[in-house]
Amino acid sequence: MTAPLLQIDTAHGVRTIRINRPDKLNALNAATLDALDAAFADADADAAVRAVVLTGAGPKAFVAGADIAEMNGLTPVQGRDFSLRGTRMMRRVEKLSKPVIAMVNGFALGGGLELAMCCHLRIAADTAKVGQPEINLGLIPGFGGSQRLLRLCGRAATLELCLTGAPITAERALQLGIVNRVVPAAELEAETMKLAAQLASAAPLALRGMLDCVNIGGECGIEEGLEYESAQFGLMFATEDMREGTSAFLEKRKPAFAGK
Ligand code: COA
């Protein structure tokens, strides 16, 4: 029996999706892209899931890139379709209605960094290395890397990473704003789960409103973005969670958010 491409479990509202090809450093072949697409669609639809953690199996890699062996034989049309397949899945992750944390436990290269950048937050082990090494293969990023890296950390760092292909340390990725936090490798899982638990107990509709403000509002001009935020802010007054959160503050107790 072959091992499943993903290991998925759910505890206390946190769904963990672990890419499970450790012998290939969790490289993204077409089957893994499709499995991830289905897993994220399921996490989105399941009201019991309030936050998602994405990581890679094994001690070495988050994801070491798109599957080079699979790409080697592709025609131009197949190459475009492979890119569209990955891009579609990653856009789903980015636009998920609940927060997604990338737990970067090792190499996040090429498609691995692209996948991590679609997640809303990134926590990296101090041993992790990230980069866009496609140039070394006579390629460029194909799952949105050139665009997302540019938006995360600007032209200088994007061009440095993509033109040289050289990986950088987690610490440098933190300085460049590519990851949110770096923690000792031995503490990565515990720290990530602590953050995931915090997000899983936050008000789901407010989390969703905030994700939309960045995903949608962040791609408009400032006037439209501010209008969008005001509209989302107003929408919060229709939620039970907003009444609960403000009442709990006034009554000096902890709020219990139901996502209504
Ligand atoms: N696609 C397909 N297979 C990959 C892969 C990828 N992106 N990255 C690693 N692998 C495979 C290797 O081919 C090897 O398989 P094998 O044991 O059947 O030969 C296995 O994973 C282990 O990798 P290996 O290179 O032996 O590990 P390492 O510790 O010596 O080096 C890396 C680790 C990450 C530096 C190296 O694997 C690497 O450079 N990978 C490619 C990174 C890349 O270019 N990504 C962008 C792709 S667009």
Side-chain angles (χ1 to χ4, degrees):
M1 205 175 79
T2 53
L5 291 169
L6 305 178
Q7 293 168 341
I8 299 175
D9 68 79
T10 311
H12 311 294
V14 177
R15 174 150 304 171
T16 302
I17 300 173
R18 198 178 296 269
I19 301 165
N20 188 34
R21 298 185 75 206
D23 55 324
K24 297 292 176 193
L25 304 188
N26 304 317
L28 299 173
N29 58 7
T32 308
L33 294 176
D34 289 351
L36 282 167
D37 197 47
F40 275 96
D42 186 66
D44 214 14
D46 188 341
V49 175
R50 290 178 51 169
V52 181
V53 171
L54 176 65
T55 193
K60 273 177 79 170
F62 174 74
V63 167
D67 191 311
I68 298 169
E70 199 170 88
M71 286 193 297
N72 179 253
L74 299 186
T75 65
V77 171
Q78 290 168 332
R80 185 192 60 173
D81 287 345
F82 185 65
S83 170
L84 291 173
R85 196 174 204 149
T87 299
R88 223 172 10 245
M89 178 275 283
M90 293 193 193
R91 192 71 173 139
R92 183 193 293 284
V93 176
E94 189 166 49
K95 293 186 78 177
L96 216 75
S97 62
K98 37 199 99 174
V100 184
I101 306 172
M103 181 164 82
V104 182
N105 53 310
F107 290 114
L109 300 175
L113 180 54
E114 290 171 303
L115 183 57
M117 288 194 291
C118 295
C119 299
H120 306 120
L121 296 169
R122 285 158 291 285
I123 304 190
D126 55 358
T127 50
K129 293 245 165 59
V130 314
Q132 296 287 166
E134 291 89 346
I135 198 80
N136 300 324
L137 303 167
L139 275 170
I140 63 169
F143 296 154
S146 65
Q147 301 308 298
R148 292 202 175 87
L149 201 51
L150 189 59
R151 283 163 173 74
L152 259 185
C153 63
R155 294 168 76 101
T158 300
L159 288 171
E160 181 187 326
L161 264 69
C162 296
L163 295 181
T164 70
I168 59 172
T169 62
E171 206 49 52
R172 176 110 201 282
L174 180 67
Q175 284 165 9
L176 292 174
I178 298 173
V179 300
N180 297 88
R181 281 172 60 191
V182 177
V183 299
E187 292 163 29
L188 179 66
E189 186 119 14
E191 287 298 319
T192 306
M193 290 306 165
K194 208 190 297 173
L195 177 61
Q198 182 189 333
L199 294 172
S201 67
L205 295 168
L207 290 173
R208 182 178 187 169
M210 188 55 224
L211 293 171
D212 285 347
C213 279
V214 169
N215 275 330
I216 299 169
E219 297 301 325
C220 312
I222 184 72
E223 292 298 341
E224 292 82 1
L226 291 171
E227 283 283 339
Y228 189 82
E229 186 188 270
S230 294
Q232 287 290 322
F233 182 76
L235 193 58
M236 296 302 136
F237 290 74
T239 68
E240 288 176 21
D241 284 350
M242 176 270 174
R243 303 292 162 201
E244 166 64 8
T246 50
S247 300
F249 176 82
L250 295 171
E251 292 159 17
K252 302 189 189 305
R253 61 175 172 83
K254 247 182 105 170
F257 295 117
K260 291 187 183 151

